[in-house]
Amino acid sequence: MKVTASQIRQDLNNFGGFGQQGYGYNVQFLYEEIGKIMGLNTEHRIIIIGAGNLGQALANYVKFEKLGFVITALFDVNPELSGKSVRGIPILMLSELDEYCRTHRVDIAALTMPKSKADSIASKLVDLGIRAIWNFAHVDLEIPNKDVVVESVHLSDSLMQLSYNIVKNSKNK
Amino acid sequence: MKVTASQIRQDLNNFGGFGQQGYGYNVQFLYEEIGKIMGLNTEHRIIIIGAGNLGQALANYVKFEKLGFVITALFDVNPELSGKSVRGIPILMLSELDEYCRTHRVDIAALTMPKSKADSIASKLVDLGIRAIWNFAHVDLEIPNKDVVVESVHLSDSLMQLSYNIVKNSKNK
DNA sequence: TAGATTGTTAATCGATTAACAATC
DNA sequence: TAGATTGTTAATCGATTAACAATC
């Protein structure tokens, strides 16, 4: 993993002592403790706003569930998608969002709609009490509420990083 | 951007002097020079392996083209997709990959297929001469060739980061 | 000349690594 | 007791910030 043993020990000790000097780490115990630190010991319920290709791709990712992230619903404005579902997860209309959030626990909202709508929907979600946003729209969301956690996935940043590494790589010859 | 002026000057001077003391930076010139550093001054041709939801979502992203990244084809094994296209970009069969790579320039291959196939296709792409891989499969690709650049997008990492920030945020109260 | 802005060296800060003590 | 492994302090390294010289 390109990390020294020393760094592992330093990092773990930031959170506490999980091993026994002279004896070692209990791998199962350590794994669970790291999970607790990262919040993976509790279930996270996710709704996806935007049931286009990206939203549906996320809904199809089974691996998330193994980590405790359960996608409970998708929302879209396209009436043709109404009543349909992805892997058993219902696609609802955006007009049903308010009602849904009042009657269901929602821990995380994933934003996969066009960026023009991202800011307005984000502030609506915050008003509805959602405190975590997983943002795939190509904008830096403006959310004044400090209690709201935002994690953005900017794919074009990743592509530019790849491009830069191509440049670097070609210069090494 | 949460960066000091001093840091900007240091970082820019790593690559050269782009401004004029006492006068300032020419924004247009600086923008272009940064683009050259990142390799955004040349066109990058991308093929996408896996025409599922994620592959099609990438093909629909218009913004990439503004940065010089042009998606030229998608590949899949599903015969139902044969002959179809996404935003004018043709979906080809994986069996056509060899022929395609021999007759077209390909700068980057984006991998959006299930992880079980990722490693074998990645090594095939390297054999075909592709030197940059944008990996969306949930694996750390094993590519011995040092000349091949790999950029991975691990969505579950991003989700775990979000989860950790939720934990941190809730403790600050 | 005075003010403003970049380039570059020096100082500071934080993270990584090394060393060793504590413990099995 | 000897060997092995974690916890923790100290040393090192690199990145960020501050200071100031150079220039318009």
Side-chain angles (χ1 to χ4, degrees):
Chain A
M1 287 170 65
K2 291 177 184 172
V3 185
T4 62
S6 200
Q7 194 171 349
I8 295 279
R9 295 205 298 281
Q10 284 283 13
D11 288 353
L12 289 179
N13 269 68
N14 248 315
F15 296 101
F18 302 110
Q20 196 82 8
Q21 284 173 323
Y23 184 75
Y25 295 102
N26 178 323
V27 173
Q28 176 68 26
F29 173 76
L30 183 61
Y31 183 87
E32 283 167 14
E33 289 299 310
I34 292 172
K36 283 182 195 169
I37 290 166
M38 298 202 294
L40 302 178
N41 56 327
T42 54
E43 186 185 84
H44 296 270
R45 298 196 188 174
I46 304 180
I47 60 172
I48 298 174
I49 316 292
N53 282 317
L54 184 55
Q56 295 197 24
L58 293 179
N60 274 317
Y61 254 133
V62 182
K63 193 189 174 187
F64 296 150
E65 275 172 21
K66 291 180 187 161
L67 296 167
F69 299 95
V70 182
I71 297 163
T72 58
L74 294 98
F75 291 86
D76 208 293
V77 290
N78 183 354
E80 286 182 21
L81 293 170
S82 183
K84 294 191 177 177
S85 67
V86 178
R87 203 166 56 86
I89 303 162
I91 302 179
L92 306 175
M93 290 295 97
L94 199 61
S95 55
E96 302 175 79
L97 180 64
D98 293 47
E99 171 69 10
Y100 186 91
C101 290
R102 274 195 291 273
T103 53
H104 298 75
R105 199 185 92 206
V106 177
D107 301 309
I108 299 170
L111 304 192
T112 64
M113 83 289 285
K115 70 174 178 181
S116 56
K117 296 178 181 171
D119 260 314
S120 63
I121 288 186
S123 64
K124 187 177 189 176
L125 289 164
V126 172
D127 291 342
L128 287 167
I130 289 170
R131 289 292 167 265
I133 291 175
W134 198 22
N135 173 41
F136 287 78
H138 287 235
V139 282
D140 287 315
L141 294 176
E142 307 235 342
I143 296 175
N145 190 331
K146 292 274 184 184
D147 289 340
V148 178
V149 176
V150 178
E151 170 78 15
S152 287
V153 178
H154 290 318
L155 294 181
S156 44
D157 288 3
S158 170
L159 248 192
M160 289 189 276
Q161 178 74 51
L162 177 59
S163 175
Y164 175 63
N165 287 335
I166 292 171
V167 173
K168 269 204 304 185
N169 195 262
S170 63
K171 280 185 182 168
N172 286 345
K173 289 171 192 171
Chain B
M1 287 170 68
K2 292 176 183 172
V3 184
T4 61
S6 198
Q7 194 170 350
I8 294 278
R9 296 205 298 280
Q10 284 281 16
D11 289 353
L12 289 180
N13 269 69
N14 247 314
F15 296 100
F18 302 109
Q20 196 81 6
Q21 285 174 324
Y23 182 78
Y25 294 102
N26 178 323
V27 173
Q28 176 70 23
F29 173 75
L30 183 60
Y31 183 87
E32 282 167 13
E33 288 300 309
I34 292 173
K36 282 182 197 168
I37 291 167
M38 298 202 295
L40 302 179
N41 56 327
T42 54
E43 185 185 85
H44 297 270
R45 299 196 188 173
I46 304 179
I47 60 172
I48 297 174
I49 317 292
N53 281 315
L54 184 54
Q56 296 200 21
L58 293 179
N60 273 316
Y61 254 132
V62 183
K63 194 187 174 190
F64 296 148
E65 275 173 23
K66 292 181 186 160
L67 296 167
F69 300 93
V70 182
I71 297 163
T72 57
L74 295 98
F75 291 87
D76 208 293
V77 291
N78 183 354
E80 286 181 21
L81 293 170
S82 182
K84 295 191 175 175
S85 67
V86 178
R87 203 167 55 86
I89 304 162
I91 302 179
L92 305 176
M93 291 296 95
L94 198 60
S95 54
E96 301 175 79
L97 181 62
D98 292 48
E99 171 68 11
Y100 185 91
C101 289
R102 274 195 291 272
T103 53
H104 298 75
R105 198 187 93 207
V106 177
D107 302 308
I108 299 170
L111 304 193
T112 64
M113 84 288 286
K115 69 174 177 180
S116 57
K117 297 178 183 173
D119 261 314
S120 64
I121 289 186
S123 64
K124 186 177 189 174
L125 290 163
V126 171
D127 290 342
L128 287 167
I130 289 171
R131 289 292 167 263
I133 291 176
W134 198 22
N135 173 42
F136 286 79
H138 288 236
V139 281
D140 288 315
L141 293 177
E142 308 235 343
I143 296 176
N145 190 330
K146 293 274 182 186
D147 288 340
V148 178
V149 176
V150 177
E151 171 78 15
S152 288
V153 178
H154 290 320
L155 294 182
S156 45
D157 288 4
S158 170
L159 204 41
M160 288 191 276
Q161 177 75 51
L162 177 58
S163 174
Y164 176 62
N165 286 336
I166 293 171
V167 173
K168 271 204 305 187
N169 196 263
S170 64
K171 279 185 180 166
N172 287 344
K173 287 172 190 168

